[in-house]
Amino acid sequence: MGWLWSLIVGGLIGWGAGAILGKDVPGGVIGNIICGMLGSWVASTFLQDFGPVIGGYAVIPSLIGAIILILVLNFVLKRLN
C-alpha cells in the first residue's frame, strides 16, 4: 500500500509542479510520477522537511524539488534538440 501512495502522491506533486510552471512534463503521467518522486528525493537531500506530509512526502519541499527538476529537464531537452 505504501508504494501505491508513493505513486499517487508523486504523480500529484509532479503534475502540480508542471501546472505551476505552465510546462508539460516529458513522459506524461509516468513523467509526472518520476519528477514528483525524484523531486522529493532532491528536496529531502538539500532542503529540510517542512510543511504538511502526505504519503511520506513533505509537500512543499517536494514541490520545490520537482519544479527544479522540471526546469533542468526542459533545459537539457531543449539543448539536445
Side-chain angles (χ1 to χ4, degrees):
M1 193 67 170
W3 274 100
L4 181 62
W5 271 112
S6 293
L7 293 175
I8 291 170
V9 174
L12 290 174
I13 288 172
W15 172 78
I20 289 171
L21 290 175
K23 298 181 179 189
D24 290 332
V25 177
V29 174
I30 295 173
N32 281 339
I33 293 170
I34 292 171
C35 282
M37 293 174 87
L38 288 177
S40 177
W41 174 74
V42 167
S44 68
T45 302
F46 298 109
L47 300 173
Q48 289 183 341
D49 291 336
F50 57 90
V53 176
I54 300 174
Y57 293 106
V59 176
I60 295 171
S62 297
L63 196 58
I64 293 169
I67 288 172
I68 292 169
L69 185 65
I70 291 170
L71 287 173
V72 169
L73 186 62
N74 280 326
F75 177 76
V76 169
L77 289 176
K78 282 184 182 179
R79 291 289 176 185
L80 290 176
N81 288 331

